[in-house]
Amino acid sequence: MMRRSGSTHASVVDAARGIARLFSPFCEVILHDLPSGTIASIDGAQSGRQVGEPSYLEELGIADWTENVHGPYRKVLPDGRAIKSISVVLRDAGGTPDALLCVNMDVSQFEGAQGLLAALTSIPATAATHPLANDWLEDLHQFIAEWCARQGVLLKDLRHSDRKALISELQGRGIFDRKRAAQAVARAVGVSRATVYQDLKSISAGTPRPE
């Protein structure tokens, strides 16, 4: 389902909806509004992000805004699925960047395939060094996926004790020193931000909460 904010790129929003429909159910298209630093529209939701929430674009590390097309590059969703992404800078009439269109393709179901699917899943070797491939949210998602794999649990099946242990490890790694980290962790593990704060308070106090 498409959701919109006040983006001035109406035709781009329609194009995003078309791209998401064409590659459904594997494709998510997100339009970021640069002046407000928020998500303007989402089609084909895969990542669990919401219209109006922060884009975290300051964490992406785009050094050269004269380049209009960034990627493709590899990302990881909170549940461990691999996605292949590309981002396109959109400009206003004066040439100033005012939006970023990100197309995210879920390739997790294709990675085991060979031959005909190789062209779809291939990602250039240089993608690992691209600034968009190494933001802290990517590191967070990767850590959560690896933590769940080590514990032998699925992200969607985390008990409170599992979640608290995970949040404790994230706290030890300094993740909550970052701006809006609690919101990002909450979205990644599928709970409210208030729940994350309650878990952090419980961890700091050293007192258990009931299941």
Side-chain angles (χ1 to χ4, degrees), residues 7 18 24 29 64 93 100 104 118 120 131 139 148 158 164-165 167-168 176 180 183 202-203:
S7 172
S24 177
V29 185
D64 183 9
L100 189 70
N104 303 318
L120 177 63
D139 293 339
C148 288
L158 287 182
K164 188 174 175 181
I167 288 176
S168 181
F176 293 103
R180 294 191 293 269
Q183 180 177 347
S202 176
I203 291 167

PDB file of all heavy atoms in Angstrom, residues 7 18 24 29 64 93 100 104 118 120 131 139 148 158 164-165 167-168 176 180 183 202-203:
ATOM      1  N   SER A   7       5.265  15.497  -0.177  1.00  0.00           N
ATOM      2  CA  SER A   7       6.324  15.604  -1.173  1.00  0.00           C
ATOM      3  C   SER A   7       5.850  16.338  -2.413  1.00  0.00           C
ATOM      4  O   SER A   7       4.717  16.171  -2.867  1.00  0.00           O
ATOM      5  CB  SER A   7       6.804  14.206  -1.571  1.00  0.00           C
ATOM      6  OG  SER A   7       7.685  14.296  -2.658  1.00  0.00           O
ATOM      7  N   GLY A  18       4.685   2.351  -9.326  1.00  0.00           N
ATOM      8  CA  GLY A  18       4.772   1.459 -10.484  1.00  0.00           C
ATOM      9  C   GLY A  18       5.919   0.464 -10.373  1.00  0.00           C
ATOM     10  O   GLY A  18       5.769  -0.724 -10.691  1.00  0.00           O
ATOM     11  N   SER A  24       6.739  -6.595  -7.265  1.00  0.00           N
ATOM     12  CA  SER A  24       6.067  -7.154  -6.084  1.00  0.00           C
ATOM     13  C   SER A  24       6.139  -8.690  -6.113  1.00  0.00           C
ATOM     14  O   SER A  24       6.014  -9.307  -7.179  1.00  0.00           O
ATOM     15  CB  SER A  24       4.611  -6.703  -6.072  1.00  0.00           C
ATOM     16  OG  SER A  24       3.899  -7.262  -4.989  1.00  0.00           O
ATOM     17  N   VAL A  29      10.115   0.632  -2.408  1.00  0.00           N
ATOM     18  CA  VAL A  29      10.599   1.913  -2.927  1.00  0.00           C
ATOM     19  C   VAL A  29      10.277   3.000  -1.894  1.00  0.00           C
ATOM     20  O   VAL A  29       9.118   3.187  -1.523  1.00  0.00           O
ATOM     21  CB  VAL A  29       9.970   2.264  -4.284  1.00  0.00           C
ATOM     22  CG1 VAL A  29      10.601   3.531  -4.841  1.00  0.00           C
ATOM     23  CG2 VAL A  29      10.131   1.114  -5.274  1.00  0.00           C
ATOM     24  N   ASP A  64      29.413  13.137  -1.924  1.00  0.00           N
ATOM     25  CA  ASP A  64      29.367  13.876  -3.180  1.00  0.00           C
ATOM     26  C   ASP A  64      27.938  13.911  -3.694  1.00  0.00           C
ATOM     27  O   ASP A  64      27.470  12.970  -4.333  1.00  0.00           O
ATOM     28  CB  ASP A  64      30.299  13.210  -4.210  1.00  0.00           C
ATOM     29  CG  ASP A  64      30.346  13.982  -5.525  1.00  0.00           C
ATOM     30  OD1 ASP A  64      29.799  15.103  -5.570  1.00  0.00           O
ATOM     31  OD2 ASP A  64      30.908  13.457  -6.498  1.00  0.00           O
ATOM     32  N   ALA A  93      13.962  22.727  -9.173  1.00  0.00           N
ATOM     33  CA  ALA A  93      14.177  23.474 -10.412  1.00  0.00           C
ATOM     34  C   ALA A  93      15.512  24.206 -10.427  1.00  0.00           C
ATOM     35  O   ALA A  93      16.083  24.459 -11.489  1.00  0.00           O
ATOM     36  CB  ALA A  93      13.030  24.469 -10.629  1.00  0.00           C
ATOM     37  N   LEU A 100      15.472  11.893  -2.149  1.00  0.00           N
ATOM     38  CA  LEU A 100      16.292  10.723  -2.453  1.00  0.00           C
ATOM     39  C   LEU A 100      15.355   9.538  -2.634  1.00  0.00           C
ATOM     40  O   LEU A 100      14.588   9.201  -1.730  1.00  0.00           O
ATOM     41  CB  LEU A 100      17.286  10.448  -1.325  1.00  0.00           C
ATOM     42  CG  LEU A 100      18.355   9.382  -1.600  1.00  0.00           C
ATOM     43  CD1 LEU A 100      19.362   9.891  -2.635  1.00  0.00           C
ATOM     44  CD2 LEU A 100      19.093   9.014  -0.310  1.00  0.00           C
ATOM     45  N   ASN A 104      14.762  -0.836  -3.010  1.00  0.00           N
ATOM     46  CA  ASN A 104      15.318  -1.961  -2.277  1.00  0.00           C
ATOM     47  C   ASN A 104      14.718  -3.269  -2.784  1.00  0.00           C
ATOM     48  O   ASN A 104      13.508  -3.481  -2.685  1.00  0.00           O
ATOM     49  CB  ASN A 104      15.032  -1.817  -0.773  1.00  0.00           C
ATOM     50  CG  ASN A 104      15.562  -0.513  -0.213  1.00  0.00           C
ATOM     51  OD1 ASN A 104      16.660  -0.084  -0.543  1.00  0.00           O
ATOM     52  ND2 ASN A 104      14.773   0.138   0.635  1.00  0.00           N
ATOM     53  N   ALA A 118      21.591 -15.309 -11.815  1.00  0.00           N
ATOM     54  CA  ALA A 118      22.854 -14.685 -11.433  1.00  0.00           C
ATOM     55  C   ALA A 118      22.864 -13.187 -11.742  1.00  0.00           C
ATOM     56  O   ALA A 118      23.382 -12.377 -10.965  1.00  0.00           O
ATOM     57  CB  ALA A 118      24.017 -15.372 -12.133  1.00  0.00           C
ATOM     58  N   LEU A 120      20.397 -11.127 -11.787  1.00  0.00           N
ATOM     59  CA  LEU A 120      19.532 -10.386 -10.889  1.00  0.00           C
ATOM     60  C   LEU A 120      20.186 -10.166  -9.532  1.00  0.00           C
ATOM     61  O   LEU A 120      20.058  -9.096  -8.929  1.00  0.00           O
ATOM     62  CB  LEU A 120      18.207 -11.132 -10.705  1.00  0.00           C
ATOM     63  CG  LEU A 120      17.207 -10.509  -9.727  1.00  0.00           C
ATOM     64  CD1 LEU A 120      16.764  -9.128 -10.217  1.00  0.00           C
ATOM     65  CD2 LEU A 120      16.000 -11.404  -9.543  1.00  0.00           C
ATOM     66  N   PRO A 131      29.853   4.402   0.334  1.00  0.00           N
ATOM     67  CA  PRO A 131      29.469   4.969   1.630  1.00  0.00           C
ATOM     68  C   PRO A 131      28.079   4.563   2.083  1.00  0.00           C
ATOM     69  O   PRO A 131      27.817   4.440   3.273  1.00  0.00           O
ATOM     70  CB  PRO A 131      29.554   6.491   1.403  1.00  0.00           C
ATOM     71  CG  PRO A 131      29.571   6.682  -0.079  1.00  0.00           C
ATOM     72  CD  PRO A 131      30.249   5.458  -0.630  1.00  0.00           C
ATOM     73  N   ASP A 139      25.018  -1.790  10.300  1.00  0.00           N
ATOM     74  CA  ASP A 139      25.762  -2.560  11.311  1.00  0.00           C
ATOM     75  C   ASP A 139      24.820  -3.111  12.378  1.00  0.00           C
ATOM     76  O   ASP A 139      24.987  -4.242  12.847  1.00  0.00           O
ATOM     77  CB  ASP A 139      26.832  -1.675  11.961  1.00  0.00           C
ATOM     78  CG  ASP A 139      27.935  -1.289  10.992  1.00  0.00           C
ATOM     79  OD1 ASP A 139      28.103  -1.994   9.976  1.00  0.00           O
ATOM     80  OD2 ASP A 139      28.622  -0.287  11.245  1.00  0.00           O
ATOM     81  N   CYS A 148      20.857 -13.388  16.600  1.00  0.00           N
ATOM     82  CA  CYS A 148      19.755 -14.358  16.569  1.00  0.00           C
ATOM     83  C   CYS A 148      20.240 -15.709  16.054  1.00  0.00           C
ATOM     84  O   CYS A 148      19.830 -16.763  16.568  1.00  0.00           O
ATOM     85  CB  CYS A 148      18.618 -13.827  15.702  1.00  0.00           C
ATOM     86  SG  CYS A 148      17.693 -12.447  16.433  1.00  0.00           S
ATOM     87  N   LEU A 158      11.434 -13.787  19.490  1.00  0.00           N
ATOM     88  CA  LEU A 158      12.192 -13.394  20.668  1.00  0.00           C
ATOM     89  C   LEU A 158      11.285 -13.293  21.900  1.00  0.00           C
ATOM     90  O   LEU A 158      10.244 -12.625  21.866  1.00  0.00           O
ATOM     91  CB  LEU A 158      12.876 -12.035  20.451  1.00  0.00           C
ATOM     92  CG  LEU A 158      14.091 -11.970  19.519  1.00  0.00           C
ATOM     93  CD1 LEU A 158      14.628 -10.554  19.496  1.00  0.00           C
ATOM     94  CD2 LEU A 158      15.165 -12.949  19.934  1.00  0.00           C
ATOM     95  N   LYS A 164      15.894  -8.731  26.078  1.00  0.00           N
ATOM     96  CA  LYS A 164      16.658  -7.996  27.082  1.00  0.00           C
ATOM     97  C   LYS A 164      18.144  -8.317  26.971  1.00  0.00           C
ATOM     98  O   LYS A 164      18.996  -7.421  27.098  1.00  0.00           O
ATOM     99  CB  LYS A 164      16.145  -8.337  28.475  1.00  0.00           C
ATOM    100  CG  LYS A 164      16.741  -7.476  29.575  1.00  0.00           C
ATOM    101  CD  LYS A 164      16.068  -7.774  30.907  1.00  0.00           C
ATOM    102  CE  LYS A 164      16.725  -7.009  32.029  1.00  0.00           C
ATOM    103  NZ  LYS A 164      16.096  -7.295  33.341  1.00  0.00           N
ATOM    104  N   ALA A 165      18.480  -9.587  26.703  1.00  0.00           N
ATOM    105  CA  ALA A 165      19.886  -9.968  26.531  1.00  0.00           C
ATOM    106  C   ALA A 165      20.479  -9.282  25.305  1.00  0.00           C
ATOM    107  O   ALA A 165      21.628  -8.812  25.325  1.00  0.00           O
ATOM    108  CB  ALA A 165      20.007 -11.482  26.406  1.00  0.00           C
ATOM    109  N   ILE A 167      19.401  -6.411  23.904  1.00  0.00           N
ATOM    110  CA  ILE A 167      19.518  -4.980  24.181  1.00  0.00           C
ATOM    111  C   ILE A 167      20.701  -4.710  25.105  1.00  0.00           C
ATOM    112  O   ILE A 167      21.414  -3.705  24.954  1.00  0.00           O
ATOM    113  CB  ILE A 167      18.204  -4.448  24.773  1.00  0.00           C
ATOM    114  CG1 ILE A 167      17.131  -4.408  23.675  1.00  0.00           C
ATOM    115  CG2 ILE A 167      18.393  -3.060  25.383  1.00  0.00           C
ATOM    116  CD1 ILE A 167      15.759  -4.001  24.160  1.00  0.00           C
ATOM    117  N   SER A 168      20.951  -5.613  26.034  1.00  0.00           N
ATOM    118  CA  SER A 168      22.094  -5.458  26.929  1.00  0.00           C
ATOM    119  C   SER A 168      23.406  -5.483  26.143  1.00  0.00           C
ATOM    120  O   SER A 168      24.321  -4.684  26.399  1.00  0.00           O
ATOM    121  CB  SER A 168      22.099  -6.568  27.980  1.00  0.00           C
ATOM    122  OG  SER A 168      23.190  -6.428  28.863  1.00  0.00           O
ATOM    123  N   PHE A 176      23.447   2.814  21.973  1.00  0.00           N
ATOM    124  CA  PHE A 176      22.478   3.785  22.457  1.00  0.00           C
ATOM    125  C   PHE A 176      23.084   5.163  22.698  1.00  0.00           C
ATOM    126  O   PHE A 176      22.381   6.087  23.118  1.00  0.00           O
ATOM    127  CB  PHE A 176      21.796   3.254  23.723  1.00  0.00           C
ATOM    128  CG  PHE A 176      20.926   2.059  23.459  1.00  0.00           C
ATOM    129  CD1 PHE A 176      21.353   0.779  23.788  1.00  0.00           C
ATOM    130  CD2 PHE A 176      19.689   2.207  22.849  1.00  0.00           C
ATOM    131  CE1 PHE A 176      20.564  -0.319  23.521  1.00  0.00           C
ATOM    132  CE2 PHE A 176      18.891   1.109  22.575  1.00  0.00           C
ATOM    133  CZ  PHE A 176      19.331  -0.155  22.907  1.00  0.00           C
ATOM    134  N   ARG A 180      18.719   8.824  18.242  1.00  0.00           N
ATOM    135  CA  ARG A 180      17.554   8.056  17.794  1.00  0.00           C
ATOM    136  C   ARG A 180      17.821   6.546  17.740  1.00  0.00           C
ATOM    137  O   ARG A 180      17.125   5.819  17.043  1.00  0.00           O
ATOM    138  CB  ARG A 180      17.053   8.555  16.431  1.00  0.00           C
ATOM    139  CG  ARG A 180      16.494   9.978  16.471  1.00  0.00           C
ATOM    140  CD  ARG A 180      15.777  10.322  15.186  1.00  0.00           C
ATOM    141  NE  ARG A 180      16.688  10.403  14.063  1.00  0.00           N
ATOM    142  CZ  ARG A 180      17.295  11.507  13.674  1.00  0.00           C
ATOM    143  NH1 ARG A 180      17.092  12.626  14.327  1.00  0.00           N
ATOM    144  NH2 ARG A 180      18.102  11.503  12.630  1.00  0.00           N
ATOM    145  N   GLN A 183      14.848   4.286  18.915  1.00  0.00           N
ATOM    146  CA  GLN A 183      13.800   4.140  17.918  1.00  0.00           C
ATOM    147  C   GLN A 183      14.197   3.102  16.869  1.00  0.00           C
ATOM    148  O   GLN A 183      13.388   2.270  16.454  1.00  0.00           O
ATOM    149  CB  GLN A 183      13.516   5.481  17.243  1.00  0.00           C
ATOM    150  CG  GLN A 183      12.423   5.428  16.186  1.00  0.00           C
ATOM    151  CD  GLN A 183      12.120   6.804  15.603  1.00  0.00           C
ATOM    152  OE1 GLN A 183      12.539   7.815  16.141  1.00  0.00           O
ATOM    153  NE2 GLN A 183      11.405   6.827  14.509  1.00  0.00           N
ATOM    154  N   SER A 202      15.595  -1.332  33.231  1.00  0.00           N
ATOM    155  CA  SER A 202      15.684  -2.565  34.003  1.00  0.00           C
ATOM    156  C   SER A 202      17.112  -3.101  34.022  1.00  0.00           C
ATOM    157  O   SER A 202      17.613  -3.568  35.047  1.00  0.00           O
ATOM    158  CB  SER A 202      14.736  -3.622  33.422  1.00  0.00           C
ATOM    159  OG  SER A 202      14.856  -4.851  34.096  1.00  0.00           O
ATOM    160  N   ILE A 203      17.792  -3.028  32.881  1.00  0.00           N
ATOM    161  CA  ILE A 203      19.183  -3.490  32.798  1.00  0.00           C
ATOM    162  C   ILE A 203      20.079  -2.646  33.696  1.00  0.00           C
ATOM    163  O   ILE A 203      20.921  -3.157  34.429  1.00  0.00           O
ATOM    164  CB  ILE A 203      19.670  -3.442  31.342  1.00  0.00           C
ATOM    165  CG1 ILE A 203      18.947  -4.494  30.498  1.00  0.00           C
ATOM    166  CG2 ILE A 203      21.173  -3.655  31.258  1.00  0.00           C
ATOM    167  CD1 ILE A 203      19.128  -4.325  29.007  1.00  0.00           C
TER     168      ILE A 203
END
